[in-house]
């Protein structure tokens, strides 16, 4: 059934920009303040107040546009989107409809199906709304306008994706670009990146696109993947039954693993867009665009090449580290502090990734100090601790950012190379494992490994493995 | 001592600075006068006596200490009730803002206060500045001090009548389509709409953002120049504000010989009252006598200005007035079932008929399917009208004509036919659509004793030329209160 249909997907991605102040006033954008403390006459829609565009918002939007191969609109304007809702203090949102700041871009993605260009229809700037809080007990509703006027860009793609794999690959790439530009932290779970999925299906071979639905409330890549699978199937099933797809907005419920209709086309609002008269048109010069290009931070590909060139780490390592912006920050800091690049890379790719996965954490949540990683590597290099202990200490660093030198000292974790003490342990292990000794003597090399393991266990992992091996062979 | 109230703003301040008059005496004289006459004229919605008296003390102290010597130091003034005044109720003439007390002042107000001028109260107006008679106010109609059976004009009718009736020494108004110039003309005072972007709109409660400008109403041209110099200041809080030359007083005593004056034929066609026409002609003759070169010309497109103006201004208003919803401030209905009901009842109760009409018109012209046909077309007309004016200003230093087709109509005569009322804005709306400065100066009276104003328009940022002409006319023994 599935193979008879093509899925067509376009995205609308809202990204909260990392400016310190709001888009049209000087209020702070900091998250988590007491309600209505980051507000002023402008962002609560007081009569007589006027918006003034934050230049940094424009520069971030242009930077994202340039990094996604967009044309920058040289004469751009803001428009008003009119609708009534209490979280929207003016009852209109200042956005861009007719002349968005960026147009006609693309992001190239690579999946197992090969390379593909995903078109960017436009990127526009707009203001976020406040937040409604409903008190279930009293039945009252409250509004917090701290978020009102926080700057957003909305990235609208062409309907160029045909699977959840392409969508997630595109989003990961887009997110990385924006993170590298330091324009946003793009956290889906905190809402600094919000993705709406427009999806339609059509019989394979047909040229006209089917009726689409818009899916909202997607808070993780996993949710996006599941929602796409679910929605495609839902639409196909309806078509198979001979029913029609409704043009509607749906809300994804990730707990139930299904979506439900929020608004149908009949409720579609007329937003009565018109040019925002309080903000002058934005005229962008070549010099300005060049300046933004010039100031653009190193993007991923450049960084990857540099890592290979400058730090002589394998391409494989460079690829993995640069796939997470925060990882590159730790890597560069650790190398700067004198850590051997390959050894730092090993810790990041190996143990760090393992622990992140194990704990279901985002790389952004890594909180250890690079200096402690460097100290740990030094302890190993100098033979103070062995690899097994290092692994244990690293986990401590990862969890609590402990200072390793002090920690090793305090917990008596230094590597033991004292031959007379090790001799005693070896003799005990040999006595207790006659069979393995026999096996080894009969040519089973693997038995040696087992015996070394037993000795390490007895010494609580502190023994110097080289010394252990030497002594063991002598004893056998 | 002569009557304080008869003095001009600049004249009063000179006397105060000379020590002849105490600020508190000027303030008390005004308050006493308002208490005597304002039940009749209804120029004010709110009077803040206490604040005015406190300010009088502060300003007096600064003057005495030699720290304040501005041309407006110690001068009581009125502020149109759509301009925010920190701590003083600002209603916009509407029930929907009947309890709204701003947390901040408009920049123009702050600048005047810094110059030592003293807010005496908030002037009555058409609700949200929508109207040409100051009868749509939720706080009662304003009456023309020249004849209380007549309207004061609008929408800054309270500001005009307050100045005309000596209830203050000058006032701030706002002009979106003639709302300063028309009541100034009807009441016999000087009124000016500066070039768009000259006076910050921060704190002016928006009616139609692309057309609104704060403008003063004064007893004479010198006062006008003095007030304009104080309020023409760039404001980073208003994106449409510009840095510009704002020396106006030095242009007052200029020879107007050789100045080229264009008179648009369309301003003298049918609809213009004969007596008004005669007053304007008389003023034109005077200017010619003084050496100005006057020429008639065809401006063109005048029949499209009023429709374009009402389309654009209503569209912007429908959006600007959306924030009055009963959620954050202002009137909220007592009983409601849900959010939609709250919006509906609050706005139905809070807004008057004229405001509702404009919101309906504005919402309509912006709605899907009509946007291109109405709103975009109006914007195109606006551009074409601007081109006509640009062309005219290649040839002429100023353009003059009447402000209104007739003198002030009687009370209750206008609202019965909104269309007719809208059409009476024909001479004033072009300046707003184009952005140019325009002034109304008194130039005579009709046979019933009702004042007539002459309108002087100049190219953008050329207020200097308007001031030269207006001052020359005033000095020639025009009809004003010079």
């Amino acid at each position: 059934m599935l193979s008879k249909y093509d899925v067509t997907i376009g995205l609308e991605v809202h990204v909260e920009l990392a400016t310190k102040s709001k888009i049209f006033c000087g209020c702070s954008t900091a998250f988590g303040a007491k309600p209505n403390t980051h507000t002023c006459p402008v962002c609560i829609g007081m009569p007589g107040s006027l918006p003034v565009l934050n230049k940094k918002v424009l520069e971030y939007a242009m930077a994202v546009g340039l990094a996604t191969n967009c044309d920058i609109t040289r004469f751009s304007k803001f428009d008003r989107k009119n609708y009534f809702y209490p979280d929207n203090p003016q009852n209109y949102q200042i956005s861009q409809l007719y002349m968005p700041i960026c147009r006609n871009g693309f992001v190239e993605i690579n999946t197992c199906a090969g390379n593909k260009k995903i078109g960017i229809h436009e990127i526009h700037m707009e203001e976020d709304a406040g937040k409604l809080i409903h008190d279930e007990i009293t039945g009252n509703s409250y509004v917090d306008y701290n978020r009102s006027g926080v700057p957003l860009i909305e990235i609208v793609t062409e309907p160029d994706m045909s699977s959840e794999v392409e969508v997630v690959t595109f989003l990961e790439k887009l997110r990385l670009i924006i993170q590298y530009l330091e324009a946003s932290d793009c956290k889906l779970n905190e809402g600094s990146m919000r993705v709406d999925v427009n999806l339609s299906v059509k019989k394979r071979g047909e040229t006209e696109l089917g009726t689409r639905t818009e899916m909202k409330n997607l808070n993780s890549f996993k949710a996006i993947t599941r929602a796409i699978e679910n929605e495609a199937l839902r639409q196909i099933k309806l078509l198979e039954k001979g029913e029609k797809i409704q043009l509607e907005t749906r809300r994804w419920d990730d707990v139930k693993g299904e979506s439900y209709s929020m608004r149908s086309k009949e409720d579609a609002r007329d937003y009565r867009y018109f040019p925002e008269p309080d903000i002058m048109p934005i005229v962008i010069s070549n010099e300005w665009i060049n300046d933004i290009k010039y100031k653009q931070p190193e993007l991923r590909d450049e960084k990857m090449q540099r890592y290979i060139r400058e730090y002589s780490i394998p391409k494989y390592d460079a690829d993995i580290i640069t796939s997470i912006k925060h990882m590159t920050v730790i890597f560069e800091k650790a190398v700067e502090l004198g850590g051997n690049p390959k050894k730092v890379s090993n810790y990041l790719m190996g143990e760090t990734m393992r622990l992140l996965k194990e704990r279901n954490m985002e790389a952004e949540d890594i909180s250890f100090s690079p200096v402690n990683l460097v100290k740990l590597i030094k302890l190993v290099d100098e033979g103070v601790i062995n690899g097994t202990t290092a692994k244990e200490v690293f986990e401590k660093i990862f969890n609590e950012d402990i200072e390793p030198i002090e920690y090793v000292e305090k917990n008596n974790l230094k590597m033991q190379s004292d031959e007379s003490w090790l001799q005693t342990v070896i003799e005990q292990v040999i006595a207790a494992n006659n069979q393995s000794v026999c096996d080894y003597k009969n040519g089973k090399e693997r038995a040696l490994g087992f015996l070394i393991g037993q000795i390490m266990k007895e010494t609580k992992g502190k023994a110097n493995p080289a010394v252990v091996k030497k002594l063991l062979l002598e004893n056998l | 001592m002569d009557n304080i109230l008869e003095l001009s703003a600049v004249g009063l301040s000179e006397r105060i600075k000379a020590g002849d008059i105490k600020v508190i005496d000027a303030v008390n004289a005004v308050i006493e006068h308002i208490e005597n006459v304002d039940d009749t004229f209804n120029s004010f919605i709110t009077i803040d006596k206490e604040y005015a008296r406190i300010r009088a003390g502060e300003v007096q102290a600064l003057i005495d200490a030699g720290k304040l010597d501005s041309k407006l130091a110690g001068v009581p003034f009125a502020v149109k009730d759509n301009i925010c005044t920190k701590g003083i109720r600002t209603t916009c003439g509407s029930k929907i803002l009947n309890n709204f007390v701003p947390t901040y002042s408009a920049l123009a107000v702050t600048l005047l206060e810094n110059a030592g001028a003293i807010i005496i109260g908030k002037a009555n107006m058409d609700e949200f500045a929508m109207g040409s008679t100051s009868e749509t106010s939720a706080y009662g109609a304003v009456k023309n001090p020249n004849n209380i059976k007549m309207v004061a004009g609008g929408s800054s009718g309270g500001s005009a009548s307050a100045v005309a009736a000596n209830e203050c020494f000058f006032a701030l108004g706002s002009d979106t389509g003639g709302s300063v110039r028309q009541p100034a003309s009807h009441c016999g005072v000087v009124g000016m709409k500066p070039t768009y972007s000259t006076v910050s709109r921060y704190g002016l409660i928006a009616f139609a953002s692309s057309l609104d400008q704060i403008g003063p109403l004064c007893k004479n041209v010198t006062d006008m120049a003095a007030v304009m110099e104080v309020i023409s200041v760039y404001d980073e809080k208003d994106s449409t504000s510009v840095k510009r030359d704002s020396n106006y007083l030095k242009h007052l005593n200029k020879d107007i010989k050789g100045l080229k004056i264009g008179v648009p034929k369309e301003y003298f066609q049918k609809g213009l009252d004969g007596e008004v026409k005669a007053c304007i002609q008389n003023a034109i003759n005077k200017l010619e006598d003084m050496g100005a070169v006057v020429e008639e010309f065809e401006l063109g497109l005048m029949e499209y200005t009023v429709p374009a103006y009402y389309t654009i201004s209503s569209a912007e208003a429908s959006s600007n007035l959306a924030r009055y919803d009963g959620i954050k401030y202002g009137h909220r209905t007592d009983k409601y079932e849900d959010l939609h009901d709250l919006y509906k009842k609050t706005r139905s109760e809070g807004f008057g008929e004229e405001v509702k009409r404009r919101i309906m018109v504005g919402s309509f012209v912006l709605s899907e399917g009509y946007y291109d046909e109405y709103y975009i077309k109006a914007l195109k007309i606006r551009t074409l009208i601007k081109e006509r004016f640009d062309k005219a200003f290649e040839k002429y230093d100023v353009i003059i004509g009447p402000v209104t087709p007739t003198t002030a109509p009687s009370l209750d005569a206008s609202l019965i036919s909104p269309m007719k009322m809208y059409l009476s804005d024909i001479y004033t709306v072009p300046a707003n659509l184009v952005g140019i400065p325009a002034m109304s100066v008194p130039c005579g009276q009709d046979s019933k004793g009702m004042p007539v104003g002459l309108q002087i328009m100049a190219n953008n940022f050329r207020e200097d030329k308007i001031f030269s002409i207006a001052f020359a006319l005033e000095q020639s023994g025009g009809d004003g209160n010079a």
Side-chain angles (χ1 to χ4, degrees):
Chain A
M1 189 168 78
L2 279 170
S3 60
K4 288 197 302 191
Y5 289 88
D6 286 331
V7 179
T8 306
I9 304 166
L11 304 174
E12 290 166 23
V13 185
H14 282 92
V15 172
E16 227 173 64
L17 297 177
T19 56
K20 290 198 172 65
S21 56
K22 293 185 178 180
I23 183 168
F24 298 125
C25 63
C27 290
S28 165
T29 54
F31 186 75
K34 262 182 74 184
N36 297 309
T37 52
H38 293 169
T39 55
C40 73
V42 176
C43 58
I44 57 174
M46 277 289 180
S49 64
L50 293 170
V52 176
L53 178 62
N54 179 343
K55 197 173 156 193
K56 194 75 202 157
V57 172
L58 183 60
E59 293 191 338
Y60 276 147
M62 287 202 284
V64 174
L66 289 170
T68 52
N69 309 296
C70 287
D71 299 329
I72 303 297
T73 311
R74 299 312 178 89
F75 186 84
S76 176
K77 279 183 179 179
F78 279 94
D79 300 294
R80 283 193 194 170
K81 181 180 183 178
N82 293 287
Y83 66 94
F84 277 79
Y85 207 62
D87 65 2
N88 175 9
Q90 308 154 119
N91 286 322
Y92 59 79
Q93 180 196 32
I94 304 178
S95 179
Q96 294 192 293
L97 177 73
Y98 297 108
M99 296 180 183
I101 184 68
C102 309
R103 282 187 278 217
N104 300 326
F106 66 87
V107 169
E108 194 159 0
I109 60 165
N110 180 280
T111 63
C112 51
N115 284 359
K116 187 173 179 181
K117 279 182 182 173
I118 307 300
I120 304 287
H121 180 78
E122 66 171 70
I123 301 175
H124 64 253
M125 301 173 276
E126 60 187 26
E127 56 180 336
D128 209 344
K131 215 175 187 170
L132 284 181
I133 298 143
H134 304 286
D135 186 333
E136 301 290 344
I137 299 160
T138 62
N140 288 334
S141 294
Y142 302 91
V143 204
D144 175 8
Y145 289 119
N146 283 350
R147 204 180 61 185
S148 165
V150 166
L152 298 175
I153 51 172
E154 181 176 346
I155 300 152
V156 183
T157 77
E158 298 293 350
D160 288 344
M161 286 154 279
S162 52
S163 70
E164 63 279 7
V165 175
E166 285 185 0
V167 167
V168 170
T169 309
F170 166 79
L171 285 172
E172 279 175 341
K173 179 119 187 215
L174 179 71
R175 182 167 77 158
L176 212 51
I177 290 169
I178 297 170
Q179 286 173 337
Y180 268 88
L181 292 171
E182 289 164 9
S184 172
D185 56 11
C186 290
K187 290 184 181 172
L188 274 112
N189 56 349
E190 283 181 19
S192 59
M193 186 178 199
R194 294 166 229 163
V195 181
D196 298 338
V197 173
N198 286 289
L199 185 149
S200 67
V201 299
K202 64 175 173 64
K203 277 231 169 78
R204 190 148 294 171
E206 268 175 26
T207 46
E208 205 166 309
L209 291 179
T211 304
R212 66 170 199 279
T213 61
E214 183 180 347
M215 190 69 70
K216 287 185 178 290
N217 195 37
L218 302 164
N219 300 325
S220 67
F221 286 137
K222 206 181 254 173
I224 290 168
T225 301
R226 293 176 70 204
I228 290 172
E229 286 169 346
N230 181 284
E231 179 61 13
L233 200 62
R234 190 190 69 86
Q235 290 191 17
I236 289 166
K237 277 181 182 163
L238 283 174
L239 291 181
E240 286 287 309
K241 278 195 273 179
E243 286 176 36
K244 277 192 172 165
I245 310 294
Q246 295 300 318
L247 184 64
E248 63 185 356
T249 304
R250 302 181 67 84
R251 186 181 166 88
W252 177 249
D253 184 331
D254 205 42
V255 179
K256 289 188 183 147
E258 59 188 35
S259 65
Y260 58 90
S261 181
M262 281 169 76
R263 276 203 297 273
S264 74
K265 202 206 168 195
E266 283 73 52
D267 309 327
R269 300 160 175 163
D270 179 356
Y271 290 115
R272 290 178 278 114
Y273 277 99
F274 75 104
E276 167 56 77
D278 286 330
I279 300 172
M280 300 306 279
I282 304 155
V283 182
I284 291 158
S285 63
N286 286 336
E287 289 75 38
W288 198 358
I289 292 179
N290 288 336
D291 186 50
I292 285 171
K293 280 184 184 159
Y294 177 75
K295 283 193 288 195
Q296 180 177 288
E298 188 182 43
L299 293 183
R300 186 189 180 188
D301 287 346
E302 282 170 77
K303 207 182 265 293
M304 198 157 78
Q305 294 310 320
R306 184 166 64 86
Y307 281 8
I308 297 167
R309 199 175 60 238
E310 233 168 74
Y311 304 130
S312 309
I313 60 170
K315 180 167 185 286
Y316 178 80
D317 292 39
D319 187 44
I320 291 185
I321 293 170
T322 57
S323 71
I324 300 166
K325 174 75 189 350
H326 193 59
M327 220 50 130
T328 67
V329 176
I330 299 169
F331 176 76
E332 285 175 28
K333 188 74 197 163
V335 171
E336 189 194 310
L337 290 167
N340 173 294
K342 178 59 187 153
K343 286 179 181 166
V344 172
S345 161
N346 286 346
Y347 270 102
L348 294 181
M349 292 194 314
E351 280 306 283
T352 308
M353 288 300 220
R354 185 184 67 78
L355 290 167
L356 284 176
K357 206 169 215 174
E358 193 179 288
R359 272 151 226 211
N360 217 353
M361 280 166 65
E362 295 274 344
E364 280 70 32
D365 304 328
I366 297 174
S367 57
F368 67 79
S369 318
V371 67
N372 288 335
L373 173 59
V374 175
K375 283 180 182 170
L376 177 70
I377 291 170
K378 210 171 158 214
L379 287 174
V380 178
D381 285 350
E382 288 171 351
V384 179
I385 57 172
N386 64 34
T388 319
T389 309
K391 209 168 149 181
E392 182 191 321
V393 176
F394 180 73
E395 198 162 336
K396 276 277 174 196
I397 292 175
F398 184 91
N399 290 342
E400 299 159 42
D401 200 20
I402 52 103
E403 202 285 322
I405 298 173
E406 205 177 291
Y407 181 82
V408 165
E409 193 72 47
K410 226 163 122 188
N411 292 283
N412 196 21
L413 294 173
K414 281 189 184 167
M415 186 154 71
Q416 291 298 331
S417 306
D418 177 1
E419 296 196 9
S420 61
W421 177 68
L422 284 175
Q423 181 62 33
T424 326
V425 179
I426 286 167
E427 281 167 12
Q428 284 168 7
V429 169
I430 287 175
N433 294 283
N434 276 331
Q435 188 56 46
S436 294
V437 174
C438 240
D439 287 348
Y440 176 71
K441 284 182 176 163
N442 288 330
K444 281 194 182 164
E445 277 293 324
R446 253 196 298 167
L448 187 67
F450 173 78
L451 289 169
I452 292 174
Q454 291 304 304
I455 296 160
M456 293 307 283
K457 201 172 157 190
E458 284 298 311
T459 59
K460 298 202 172 78
K462 289 185 292 183
N464 182 334
V467 178
V468 168
K469 191 171 177 189
K470 191 192 85 178
L471 285 178
L472 180 62
L473 288 171
E474 282 170 14
N475 278 284
L476 292 170
Chain B
M1 189 164 68
D2 51 11
N3 187 350
I4 290 175
L5 301 175
E6 297 287 336
L7 294 168
S8 69
V10 171
L12 170 66
S13 186
E14 276 167 5
R15 298 278 296 274
I16 287 171
K17 282 173 287 186
D20 295 349
I21 299 172
K22 290 283 172 211
V23 180
I24 190 68
D25 293 333
V27 166
N28 283 334
V30 164
I31 290 171
E32 193 188 332
H33 183 55
I34 290 171
E35 283 173 345
N36 286 334
V37 302
D38 208 55
D39 282 348
T40 308
F41 302 140
N42 200 22
S43 304
F44 288 93
I45 291 174
T46 305
I47 298 156
D48 198 332
K49 292 187 269 189
E50 199 187 339
Y51 179 63
R53 284 174 177 141
I54 291 169
R55 285 282 299 148
E58 289 169 4
V59 169
Q60 185 71 58
L62 287 171
I63 294 169
D64 292 346
K67 287 179 185 160
L68 190 61
D69 66 346
S70 103
K71 291 208 150 44
L72 300 173
V75 178
F77 73 110
V79 181
K80 188 177 181 180
D81 213 19
N82 61 349
I83 300 172
C84 287
T85 41
K86 185 176 177 179
I88 305 175
R89 183 174 74 135
T90 299
T91 69
C92 269
S94 181
K95 184 182 169 188
I96 210 155
L97 285 178
N98 64 357
N99 58 3
F100 175 63
V101 179
T103 57
Y104 69 99
S105 284
L107 181 71
V109 170
T110 304
L111 290 167
L112 285 167
E113 289 204 281
N114 291 345
I118 292 162
I119 301 171
I120 206 82
K122 303 301 297 283
N124 202 350
M125 57 183 283
D126 279 302
E127 186 181 7
F128 281 101
M130 296 170 188
S132 309
T133 64
S134 295
E135 293 172 292
T136 69
S137 169
Y139 304 88
V142 181
K143 286 162 196 159
N144 195 314
N146 297 281
N147 180 342
I148 58 165
K149 290 192 182 109
M150 306 295 179
V151 302
S155 66
S156 310
S159 298
S161 67
V163 174
N166 290 334
E167 293 175 284
C168 62
F169 292 85
F170 71 93
L172 288 183
S174 69
D175 192 315
T176 305
S179 279
V180 163
R181 290 161 286 158
Q182 188 255 32
S185 175
H186 283 345
C187 291
V189 299
V190 182
M192 180 166 211
K193 181 198 97 70
T195 305
Y196 186 78
S197 76
T198 296
V199 182
S200 168
R201 290 183 298 115
Y202 196 81
L204 168 64
I205 299 180
F207 160 13
S209 314
S210 75
L211 302 158
D212 295 341
Q213 247 321 261
I214 288 176
L217 295 99
C218 298
K219 293 182 175 186
N220 63 36
V221 176
T222 306
D223 283 359
M224 177 61 75
V227 176
M228 280 292 294
E229 283 197 359
V230 173
I231 63 175
S232 302
V233 172
Y234 168 74
D235 184 4
E236 58 177 19
K237 283 184 169 165
D238 176 358
S239 310
T240 61
S241 170
V242 294
K243 289 191 176 94
R244 58 162 294 178
D245 171 37
S246 57
N247 293 307
Y248 306 113
L249 283 159
K250 70 175 182 192
H251 297 288
L252 293 183
N253 250 323
K254 285 217 171 134
D255 192 354
I256 64 161
K257 206 170 165 198
L259 222 61
K260 291 199 189 97
I261 297 176
V263 179
K265 281 182 184 153
E266 292 91 340
Y267 275 61
F268 292 87
Q269 281 163 0
K270 70 171 166 70
L272 180 63
D273 177 81
E275 290 190 79
V276 172
K277 190 175 176 178
C279 288
I280 302 297
Q281 193 54 56
N282 186 29
I284 290 172
N285 294 343
K286 276 188 196 167
L287 292 170
E288 262 185 323
D289 290 348
M290 285 184 269
V293 183
V294 180
E295 193 179 290
E296 265 197 5
F297 75 106
E298 218 163 285
L299 190 56
L301 297 174
M302 284 298 288
E303 64 270 41
Y304 299 110
T305 57
V306 170
Y309 167 78
Y310 276 92
T311 303
I312 294 167
S313 63
S314 302
E316 292 181 13
S318 70
S319 174
N320 282 330
L321 270 59
R323 69 187 64 196
Y324 310 110
D325 57 6
I327 302 282
K328 304 160 295 274
Y329 42 72
H331 172 75
R332 180 189 290 185
T333 190
D334 290 336
K335 279 190 194 138
Y336 50 90
E337 280 160 19
D338 55 19
L339 183 62
H340 184 77
D341 198 42
L342 164 67
Y343 285 152
K344 204 170 91 177
K345 284 191 179 142
T346 297
R347 289 168 65 83
S348 297
E349 293 162 9
F351 288 134
E353 199 163 322
E354 184 60 29
V355 170
K356 284 178 193 163
R357 181 164 26 243
R358 309 263 184 132
I359 292 173
M360 298 283 280
V361 168
S363 303
F364 175 77
V365 299
L366 288 178
S367 58
E368 227 177 292
Y370 298 100
Y371 178 77
D372 291 330
E373 213 172 316
Y374 292 97
Y375 184 73
I376 292 295
K377 199 166 270 180
L379 290 187
K380 285 178 182 164
I381 292 168
R382 186 177 189 174
T383 305
L384 292 175
I385 294 168
K386 173 142 189 7
E387 283 171 9
R388 294 300 172 107
F389 272 90
D390 285 347
K391 222 177 112 204
F393 285 122
E394 282 172 14
K395 216 168 162 193
Y396 307 114
D397 294 298
V398 296
I399 294 171
I400 64 173
V403 179
T404 61
T406 65
T407 53
S410 323
L411 286 157
D412 302 322
S414 302
L415 295 184
I416 45 168
S417 170
M419 274 307 266
K420 204 175 147 202
M421 184 174 79
Y422 298 169
L423 286 169
S424 72
D425 294 340
I426 185 157
Y427 304 141
T428 48
V429 294
N432 300 84
L433 287 171
V434 176
I436 55 172
M439 189 190 280
S440 170
V441 275
C443 71
Q445 295 170 347
D446 68 6
S447 53
K448 288 175 233 126
M450 294 307 288
V452 174
L454 174 77
Q455 183 171 211
I456 311 165
M457 293 175 267
N459 207 349
N460 283 320
F461 307 114
R462 295 316 301 265
E463 278 83 351
D464 57 331
K465 291 181 177 177
I466 296 178
F467 275 111
S468 297
I469 300 243
F471 188 74
L473 191 70
E474 191 178 78
Q475 294 304 302
S476 77
D479 193 73
N481 304 308

